[in-house]
Amino acid sequence: MTPTLRRKLEALAERREELERLLADPDIGADAERFGKLSREFAQLEPVAAALRAEAQARQDLAAAESMRGDPELAGLAEEEIADAKRRLERLEAELLAHLIPRDPRDGGDLYLEVRAGTGGDEAAIFAGDLFRMYVRYAERRGWKVEVESANPGEHGGYKEIIARVEGRGAYSRLKFESGTHRVQRVPETESQGRIHTSAATVAIIPVEPDGEPIEINPAELKIDTFRSSGAGGQHVNKTESAIRITHLPSGIVVESQTERSQHANRDKAMKRLAAMLAEAQAAKAAAATAATRKLQVGSGDRSQRIRTYNFPQGRITDHRVEGLTLYDLPHILEGDLDPLVERLQQEHQADELARLTAQT
């Protein structure tokens, strides 16, 4: 570890000690908002301090073991303890470096999931439906809430487009690498000669705008249309134009909401998604300078990029952004068992960020 990185870690440990003193101050304890903010920061820094303490202990153990080398009776035991201490130090250094990776403030928040059929006609819409169900099942496994905001069903099943809001702790952190083009290779049910077809669907993961950081939207730059909902809802949807379509004229972004019975509620939902999409567009623009050096695009990324192939005849799923990331467990993954993919992508991202961090020092 370079001296610069070591100083950064020591500064974090000093900040943790300062926070401990502040939290013991009765005046701060009386201010619930400030106390809560400092408590959250303290909780984030505590693992850094714990890892530094463990590292110091490992160094002491290493020094003690090395001092035993001169004793013939203890030399064998000393070598074992030296090897163990060195392994611990190597592991702790990797852990400490990971704490220096800038934390994405959006990781703990909610997201908008957008799935659209791409090339492949009816089969693409069916595949888009398969992808959406996969994400819904994954959300169910993790206890997240999924609420559909708009949907355009395919003529033979699936969806031409479906947009949902996913709410749950850490939802964005686990799904943020899903944006891009997903390709499927399989024999469609309508194919009489058993030929394998290739079709595609695109996925976009857009973080919900964090509270307290509102995006300013000029009402004069909005075109708002109302129309009759096409989704479920009984006779009501056929009688009132409660659905809302908002077009942000400068960017060309269009959002719709038609799941609520009232026009006001649909407008509120649509405005929230528009704010999230504008915020994501700003973030993508800011990251454009470094995006070329990153294998994993966060957020909207390049949605035209083919990121993954689902091969049904071989039961195989391959993520093209990570060398060697091929799993022969397609049925379980489509049932929502996404963790093997998600965790590998997170590890790859962390490795990339560590390499970038080290190169900057």
Side-chain angles (χ1 to χ4, degrees):
M1 186 184 303
T2 66
T4 302
L5 294 177
R6 175 64 60 181
R7 285 194 294 271
K8 288 181 179 180
L9 287 168
E10 291 170 352
L12 292 176
E14 290 171 3
R15 174 59 177 167
R16 182 259 179 208
E17 292 178 4
E18 180 187 8
L19 289 168
E20 188 172 31
R21 291 193 296 271
L22 289 171
L23 290 169
D25 186 332
D27 291 337
I28 290 178
D31 185 340
E33 183 176 350
R34 189 180 180 198
F35 184 83
K37 182 179 180 181
L38 294 177
S39 295
R40 287 190 293 272
E41 186 182 356
F42 179 85
Q44 290 173 359
L45 293 179
E46 177 58 29
V48 180
L52 284 170
R53 290 193 296 269
E55 184 191 44
Q57 183 62 55
R59 291 191 187 281
Q60 289 180 16
D61 293 344
L62 177 60
E66 288 177 336
S67 69
M68 294 190 301
R69 272 178 163 168
D71 188 332
E73 295 183 3
L74 299 176
L77 178 61
E79 292 302 328
E80 291 180 11
E81 293 191 2
I82 287 170
D84 178 66
K86 286 183 176 179
R87 284 194 297 269
R88 283 157 55 202
L89 284 169
E90 185 177 343
R91 175 180 56 79
L92 286 164
E93 179 170 324
E95 182 180 333
L96 286 166
L97 285 171
H99 286 302
L100 289 175
I101 296 175
R103 182 179 177 274
D104 188 337
R106 305 172 298 178
D107 274 354
D110 307 330
L111 60 94
Y112 290 104
L113 166 66
E114 302 181 353
V115 184
R116 295 180 175 84
T119 56
D122 291 336
E123 175 64 13
I126 293 170
F127 178 52
D130 292 340
L131 287 176
F132 181 72
R133 283 188 291 274
M134 176 181 74
Y135 293 124
V136 169
R137 288 165 181 160
Y138 183 61
E140 289 172 349
R141 287 170 178 245
R142 303 198 68 86
W144 300 339
K145 175 185 175 184
V146 179
E147 183 178 359
V148 174
E149 297 214 341
S150 67
N152 183 4
E155 294 179 6
H156 294 87
Y159 299 97
K160 295 178 181 177
E161 175 187 89
I162 183 163
I163 298 168
R165 178 166 171 149
V166 181
E167 299 178 354
R169 185 175 181 181
Y172 181 70
S173 70
R174 300 197 71 82
L175 292 181
K176 64 182 178 181
F177 300 118
E178 293 299 303
S179 291
T181 297
H182 297 239
R183 184 180 68 167
V184 63
Q185 296 172 327
R186 65 182 172 189
V187 178
E189 292 182 5
T190 55
E191 172 57 58
S192 59
Q193 299 182 26
R195 293 177 297 186
I196 296 175
H197 284 222
T198 298
S199 55
T202 61
V203 174
I205 302 294
I206 300 170
V208 172
E209 183 189 10
D211 293 336
E213 299 179 21
I215 291 290
E216 301 235 353
I217 301 176
N218 185 350
E221 297 177 341
L222 301 178
K223 179 176 181 289
I224 301 177
D225 300 303
T226 59
F227 59 98
R228 292 182 182 178
S229 298
S230 59
Q235 295 180 353
H236 175 83
V237 298
N238 299 319
K239 294 182 178 179
T240 63
E241 294 193 342
S242 60
I244 290 286
R245 179 185 297 112
I246 301 177
T247 304
H248 184 249
L249 299 175
S251 66
I253 293 174
V254 179
V255 295
E256 293 182 0
S257 181
Q258 56 178 299
T259 56
E260 301 297 323
R261 285 182 173 270
S262 81
Q263 190 178 110
H264 176 78
N266 279 321
R267 180 184 175 121
D268 182 59
K269 277 191 170 183
M271 286 297 293
K272 286 180 178 177
R273 190 154 64 88
L274 176 60
M277 294 180 74
L278 289 172
E280 179 62 10
Q282 288 183 8
K285 186 176 180 180
T290 59
T293 66
R294 300 186 181 186
K295 288 183 284 185
L296 298 175
Q297 302 300 317
V298 180
S300 61
D302 179 2
R303 294 176 198 170
S304 65
Q305 178 193 13
R306 187 191 69 185
I307 65 167
R308 196 174 293 155
T309 295
Y310 303 71
N311 185 296
F312 276 71
Q314 299 177 15
R316 168 175 59 83
I317 182 167
T318 298
D319 196 293
H320 304 290
R321 297 165 294 178
V322 180
E323 185 177 356
L325 182 44
T326 295
L327 302 174
Y328 289 88
D329 196 19
L330 183 55
H332 286 103
I333 289 170
L334 288 175
E335 286 298 318
D337 187 13
L338 276 172
D339 279 336
L341 273 173
V342 168
E343 289 166 7
R344 180 68 184 277
L345 291 168
Q346 288 181 327
Q347 290 167 5
E348 192 75 14
H349 174 65
Q350 186 179 73
D352 287 347
E353 290 297 298
L354 279 175
R356 197 163 60 90
L357 182 68
T358 305
Q360 291 173 349
T361 59

